[in-house]
Amino acid sequence: MLITVERGDPDRPLSRQVLHAEVLRNVNIINRGSSLHTLGTPLGTNIVTISNLPQGFYPPSFIPPQVVYASKDNKGAGGVGFGSGGASFTYRQVRGFSQGDRYLLTLVYEDASGNSGILYRKGFTGGNVSVILPSPWASKAIWISGSAHPQIAGLNRTDTNLKAYRFSLYNSNYDPNSVRNVNVLATKGWLGSNTTFTIPDLSWALNYTPFPLGSNINASISAVFSPNPLRLGLGAVSLSDIFGLNDINALTADLDIALAIAGGSYTVGGGPVRVP
């Protein structure tokens, strides 16, 4: 169980300041019971420093830069530090932190259009933390043909630690007789020197109906960066686990992964578009 003492409005995440954080272990309270615990002296704070923050990009108001504590057994978790969008912020050290526990840094930034963004997730065990954000996609860098299984061009990122590209297509015109969304991950090693990729038509093998003509498709193309090997795919975790908090077990102390996202929309059969 994590106990925090905070100052600020819980409905306004950017105003929150954690004054004390302490984890309680082996607490067993039966129905209608109680337990008395005296909090220890608050521990100090550490600094998160963010480099390469692009001009004109800001965190959404509902997802501030933040550090979350998670216990080894995942039964105690909660925010221990919140930023406001600047180049640094502090997080409170958790009293009672022990081996197997970890801190998890989450950074989300987007431009005014909402079509270009950066996501960053990093696990660590304490101390000051410095991160370097990947650069966002250049304007209109990605070309998408207007088909149900489109060709995508412009995959020419040369950034350090580029590991893969992720392609996500979502039909905003819900049709119960066709597929709703398609997600594909292509590694840098698999693409080689190719700068184009075509979403494969696997409808014959996976027994789905492709997006019909006239469908409005929300497309998202992400460059995936990590200094570590990707642990993604069958039998491993997915990017949805990491960035969607679907599985807290995927958020390990050695996690270090970032996405540069280009988004936009097109109509199936309506011709190509460029994003972001």
Side-chain angles (χ1 to χ4, degrees), residues 134-165:
S135 297
W137 287 95
S139 178
K140 309 304 179 184
I142 299 295
W143 179 91
I144 306 173
S145 69
S147 61
H149 296 90
Q151 183 184 67
I152 299 164
L155 308 175
N156 53 8
R157 303 278 305 225
T158 58
D159 315 53
T160 302
N161 295 327
L162 174 67
K163 289 294 192 295
Y165 294 97

Coordinates of all heavy atoms in Angstrom, one line a residue, residues 134-165:
P134 N 13.2 11.9 -28.4 CA 13.4 11.8 -29.9 C 12.8 13.1 -30.5 O 11.8 13.7 -30.0 CB 12.7 10.6 -30.3 CG 11.6 10.4 -29.3 CD 12.2 10.9 -28.0
S135 N 13.3 13.4 -31.6 CA 12.8 14.6 -32.4 C 11.4 14.2 -33.0 O 11.2 13.0 -33.4 CB 13.7 15.0 -33.5 OG 14.9 15.5 -32.9
P136 N 10.5 15.1 -33.1 CA 9.2 14.8 -33.7 C 9.4 14.6 -35.2 O 10.4 15.0 -35.8 CB 8.3 16.0 -33.4 CG 9.3 17.1 -33.2 CD 10.5 16.5 -32.6
W137 N 8.4 14.0 -35.9 CA 8.4 13.9 -37.3 C 8.3 15.3 -37.9 O 7.6 16.2 -37.4 CB 7.2 13.1 -37.8 CG 7.2 11.7 -37.6 CD1 6.7 11.0 -36.5 CD2 7.9 10.7 -38.4 NE1 6.9 9.6 -36.6 CE2 7.7 9.4 -37.8 CE3 8.6 10.7 -39.6 CZ2 8.1 8.2 -38.3 CZ3 9.1 9.5 -40.1 CH2 8.8 8.3 -39.5
A138 N 9.0 15.5 -39.1 CA 8.9 16.7 -39.8 C 7.5 16.8 -40.4 O 6.9 15.8 -40.7 CB 10.0 16.8 -40.9
S139 N 7.0 18.0 -40.6 CA 5.7 18.2 -41.2 C 5.6 17.6 -42.6 O 6.4 17.7 -43.4 CB 5.4 19.7 -41.3 OG 4.1 20.0 -41.9
K140 N 4.5 16.8 -42.7 CA 4.2 16.1 -44.0 C 5.3 15.1 -44.4 O 5.4 14.8 -45.6 CB 3.9 17.1 -45.1 CG 2.9 18.2 -44.7 CD 1.6 17.6 -44.3 CE 0.6 18.7 -43.9 NZ -0.7 18.2 -43.3
A141 N 6.0 14.6 -43.5 CA 7.1 13.7 -43.8 C 6.6 12.3 -44.3 O 7.3 11.6 -45.0 CB 8.0 13.5 -42.6
I142 N 5.4 11.9 -43.9 CA 4.9 10.6 -44.2 C 3.8 10.6 -45.3 O 2.9 11.5 -45.2 CB 4.3 9.9 -42.9 CG1 5.4 9.8 -41.8 CG2 3.7 8.5 -43.3 CD1 6.5 8.8 -42.2
W143 N 4.0 9.8 -46.3 CA 3.0 9.7 -47.4 C 2.2 8.4 -47.2 O 2.8 7.3 -47.0 CB 3.7 9.7 -48.7 CG 2.8 9.6 -49.9 CD1 2.3 10.6 -50.6 CD2 2.5 8.3 -50.6 NE1 1.6 10.1 -51.7 CE2 1.7 8.7 -51.7 CE3 2.7 7.0 -50.4 CZ2 1.1 7.8 -52.6 CZ3 2.2 6.0 -51.2 CH2 1.4 6.4 -52.3
I144 N 0.9 8.4 -47.2 CA 0.0 7.3 -47.1 C -0.9 7.2 -48.3 O -1.7 8.1 -48.5 CB -0.8 7.3 -45.8 CG1 0.1 7.6 -44.6 CG2 -1.6 6.1 -45.6 CD1 -0.7 7.9 -43.3
S145 N -0.9 6.0 -49.0 CA -1.8 5.8 -50.1 C -3.2 5.6 -49.5 O -3.3 5.2 -48.4 CB -1.4 4.7 -50.9 OG -1.5 3.4 -50.2
G146 N -4.2 5.9 -50.3 CA -5.6 5.9 -49.7 C -6.3 4.6 -49.9 O -7.4 4.6 -50.4
S147 N -5.7 3.5 -49.5 CA -6.3 2.2 -49.7 C -6.5 1.5 -48.4 O -6.1 1.9 -47.3 CB -5.4 1.3 -50.6 OG -4.1 1.1 -50.0
A148 N -7.2 0.4 -48.4 CA -7.6 -0.4 -47.2 C -6.3 -1.0 -46.6 O -6.2 -1.1 -45.4 CB -8.6 -1.5 -47.5
H149 N -5.3 -1.3 -47.4 CA -4.0 -1.8 -46.9 C -3.0 -0.9 -47.6 O -2.4 -1.3 -48.6 CB -3.8 -3.3 -47.3 CG -4.8 -4.2 -46.7 ND1 -6.0 -4.6 -47.2 CD2 -4.7 -4.9 -45.5 CE1 -6.6 -5.4 -46.4 NE2 -5.9 -5.6 -45.4
P150 N -2.8 0.3 -47.0 CA -2.0 1.3 -47.7 C -0.5 1.1 -47.7 O 0.0 0.4 -46.9 CB -2.3 2.6 -46.9 CG -2.6 2.1 -45.5 CD -3.3 0.8 -45.7
Q151 N 0.1 1.7 -48.8 CA 1.5 1.8 -48.8 C 1.9 3.1 -48.0 O 1.2 4.1 -48.1 CB 2.1 1.9 -50.2 CG 3.6 2.0 -50.3 CD 4.1 2.1 -51.7 OE1 3.9 3.2 -52.3 NE2 4.8 1.1 -52.2
I152 N 3.0 3.0 -47.2 CA 3.4 4.1 -46.4 C 4.9 4.4 -46.8 O 5.7 3.5 -46.7 CB 3.3 3.8 -44.9 CG1 1.8 3.5 -44.6 CG2 3.8 4.9 -44.0 CD1 1.6 2.8 -43.3
A153 N 5.2 5.7 -47.1 CA 6.5 6.1 -47.5 C 7.0 7.2 -46.6 O 6.2 7.9 -46.0 CB 6.5 6.5 -49.0
G154 N 8.3 7.3 -46.6 CA 9.0 8.4 -45.8 C 9.6 7.8 -44.5 O 9.9 8.6 -43.5
L155 N 9.8 6.5 -44.4 CA 10.3 5.8 -43.2 C 11.9 5.9 -43.3 O 12.5 4.9 -43.5 CB 9.8 4.4 -43.2 CG 8.3 4.2 -43.3 CD1 8.0 2.7 -43.3 CD2 7.6 4.9 -42.2
N156 N 12.4 7.1 -43.2 CA 13.8 7.3 -43.3 C 14.5 7.9 -42.1 O 15.4 8.7 -42.2 CB 14.0 8.2 -44.6 CG 13.2 9.5 -44.5 OD1 12.6 9.8 -43.5 ND2 13.3 10.2 -45.6
R157 N 13.9 7.7 -40.9 CA 14.5 8.2 -39.7 C 15.9 7.6 -39.5 O 16.1 6.4 -39.8 CB 13.7 7.8 -38.5 CG 12.2 8.3 -38.5 CD 12.1 9.8 -38.1 NE 12.6 10.1 -36.8 CZ 11.9 10.9 -35.9 NH1 10.7 11.3 -36.2 NH2 12.5 11.2 -34.8
T158 N 16.9 8.4 -39.1 CA 18.2 7.9 -38.8 C 18.7 8.1 -37.4 O 19.8 8.1 -37.1 CB 19.2 8.6 -39.8 OG1 19.1 10.1 -39.5 CG2 18.9 8.3 -41.2
D159 N 17.7 8.4 -36.5 CA 18.0 8.7 -35.1 C 18.7 7.5 -34.4 O 18.5 6.3 -34.8 CB 16.7 8.9 -34.3 CG 15.7 9.9 -35.1 OD1 15.4 9.6 -36.2 OD2 15.3 10.9 -34.5
T160 N 19.5 7.8 -33.4 CA 20.1 6.8 -32.6 C 19.0 6.0 -31.9 O 18.0 6.5 -31.4 CB 21.0 7.4 -31.5 OG1 22.0 8.2 -32.2 CG2 21.7 6.4 -30.7
N161 N 19.2 4.7 -31.8 CA 18.3 3.8 -31.0 C 17.0 3.6 -31.7 O 16.0 3.0 -31.1 CB 18.1 4.3 -29.6 CG 19.3 4.3 -28.7 OD1 20.2 3.4 -28.9 ND2 19.4 5.2 -27.8
L162 N 16.9 3.9 -33.0 CA 15.7 3.5 -33.8 C 15.6 2.0 -33.9 O 16.5 1.4 -34.3 CB 15.7 4.1 -35.2 CG 14.6 3.7 -36.1 CD1 13.2 4.3 -35.6 CD2 14.8 4.2 -37.5
K163 N 14.5 1.4 -33.4 CA 14.3 0.0 -33.4 C 13.2 -0.5 -34.4 O 13.3 -1.6 -34.9 CB 14.0 -0.5 -32.0 CG 15.1 -0.4 -31.0 CD 16.2 -1.4 -31.4 CE 17.3 -1.5 -30.3 NZ 18.0 -0.3 -30.0
A164 N 12.2 0.3 -34.6 CA 11.1 -0.2 -35.4 C 10.1 0.9 -35.8 O 10.3 2.1 -35.3 CB 10.3 -1.3 -34.6
Y165 N 9.2 0.6 -36.6 CA 8.1 1.5 -36.9 C 6.8 0.8 -36.6 O 6.6 -0.4 -36.9 CB 8.0 1.9 -38.4 CG 9.2 2.7 -38.8 CD1 10.3 2.2 -39.5 CD2 9.2 4.1 -38.7 CE1 11.4 2.9 -39.9 CE2 10.3 4.9 -39.1 CZ 11.4 4.3 -39.7 OH 12.4 5.1 -40.1

